[in-house]
Amino acid sequence: MATYAIGDIQGCFESLLKLLEKCRFDPAGDRLWLVGDLVNRGPRSLDTLRFVRDLGPAAVTVLGNHDLYLLMVAAGSGRRSKGDTLDEILHAPDCADLLDWLRHRPLCHHEGEFCMVHAGLLPQWTVARARALAAEVEAALTGPAHQDFLANLWGSEPAAWNEDLQGWPRLRVIVNAMTRMRFCSPAGVMEFKTKGELADAPPGQLPWFEIPGRLSAADVLVIGHWSALGLRIEPNLLALDSGCFWGRHLTAVRLDDRTLFQVDCSTCEKGV
């Protein structure tokens, strides 16, 4: 049995199929770890959702910011972004079932030495603490008040973690760190405007994974989200968003031995 971790798909279903063929993925024995952002921007988000859902326990996916955006839009919360490609899902006959399945995906997955999360972890969090905090969000997202949770999810404040936070602000910080963060200060204050390369870091900010003394540094973090960062393979970091939607590559890493698989996405349709 092999486990393949795959970067952001964002509705580029054909690229996913090509990559799985290249990996010789066998759902009867192998597993997929998907770093989130299954949907949006690419042309075949509906096919991607259906395919991953139908893999059952052979696929583990964590929620990304675009996945949560889909849930917010479907709930009537949040503002529609120009150029999103969600209408096919929202008008599908099995939309309700797909959204229910998506709501029940974890925010953070921890297994052995690996921790998978879409964007990152704040420097004050161990992996065990992050997993416990993710469970708070997952309970809200799958509970009877999930519509209220989605209505209060939008926004970038508060920008830092505090153990005394409660209610929606507490859950919002957890979600923003795990699905949106790129840069933060050594004290863990997040900055959400900058989306570029490492050289674009704002004053006083560092990539979250370079913060000195980060409490999750002993684990291997498997992430996506940051296409401008590109593929980054380090002893304790597998950053796998290699810009599939932007015409670069879709990437898989076999976690067992870190073998790399990629497909060229230069001909991937953009849905526009």
Side-chain angles (χ1 to χ4, degrees):
M1 183 178 75
T3 299
Y4 300 93
I6 295 180
D8 302 39
I9 300 165
Q10 293 198 275
C12 293
F13 184 57
E14 291 295 334
S15 296
L16 174 62
L17 295 182
K18 291 176 182 177
L19 182 60
L20 295 182
E21 182 179 2
K22 192 168 188 177
C23 294
R24 297 184 180 179
F25 170 71
D26 179 2
D30 299 331
R31 298 175 72 206
L32 295 183
W33 282 24
L34 304 172
V35 299
D37 278 5
L38 298 179
V39 302
N40 204 19
R41 290 183 170 157
R44 297 183 62 183
S45 293
L46 177 60
D47 289 332
T48 303
L49 271 186
R50 286 171 171 166
F51 178 80
V52 175
R53 178 200 59 185
D54 291 347
L55 286 173
V60 176
T61 183
V62 293
L63 290 167
N65 53 304
H66 284 276
D67 307 316
L68 289 169
Y69 169 68
L70 167 60
L71 293 172
M72 285 190 289
V73 166
S77 304
R79 301 179 294 274
R80 292 294 296 265
S81 298
K82 182 180 179 181
D84 75 32
T85 58
L86 302 180
D87 285 343
E88 187 181 24
I89 299 172
L90 297 172
H91 298 149
D94 54 346
C95 176
D97 290 339
L98 290 168
L99 295 179
D100 184 69
W101 173 83
L102 193 61
R103 279 196 304 112
H104 286 78
R105 296 313 95 203
L107 193 65
C108 173
H109 179 72
H110 181 210
E111 188 174 323
E113 65 178 322
F114 297 101
C115 175
M116 179 170 63
V117 66
H118 181 62
L121 300 182
L122 284 168
Q124 307 100 314
W125 296 343
T126 64
V127 164
R129 181 61 175 145
R131 181 52 235 149
L133 293 173
E136 296 182 25
V137 172
E138 293 155 12
L141 193 55
T142 59
H146 67 270
Q147 298 274 6
D148 292 337
F149 168 73
L150 292 167
N152 286 277
L153 183 55
W154 197 277
S156 299
E157 295 293 336
W161 174 248
N162 186 316
E163 289 288 349
D164 295 331
L165 286 171
Q166 298 181 3
W168 305 131
R170 178 183 179 91
L171 298 182
R172 192 181 305 122
V173 170
I174 298 168
V175 168
N176 284 343
M178 295 190 187
T179 68
R180 295 180 59 207
M181 178 174 62
R182 294 179 180 90
F183 296 102
C184 70
S185 74
V189 180
M190 295 178 280
E191 195 275 347
F192 297 111
K193 294 181 180 179
T194 307
K195 300 181 180 181
E197 300 177 1
L198 299 187
D200 300 321
Q205 300 274 321
L206 291 169
W208 67 267
F209 51 82
E210 292 185 358
I211 297 293
R214 175 172 59 89
L215 297 184
S216 60
D219 295 87
V220 183
L221 272 291
V222 182
I223 67 164
H225 183 57
W226 198 344
S227 61
L229 177 68
L231 179 65
R232 195 177 179 103
I233 306 295
E234 299 179 359
N236 294 89
L237 180 71
L238 302 176
L240 303 180
D241 185 356
S242 48
C244 177
F245 170 75
W246 304 107
R248 301 203 299 272
H249 296 89
L250 185 63
T251 298
V253 172
R254 190 164 59 206
L255 297 183
D256 315 82
D257 58 7
R258 297 203 175 202
T259 299
L260 187 69
F261 302 85
Q262 288 189 313
V263 293
D264 176 35
C265 300
S266 59
T267 59
C268 180
E269 311 97 317
K270 299 300 185 291
V272 295

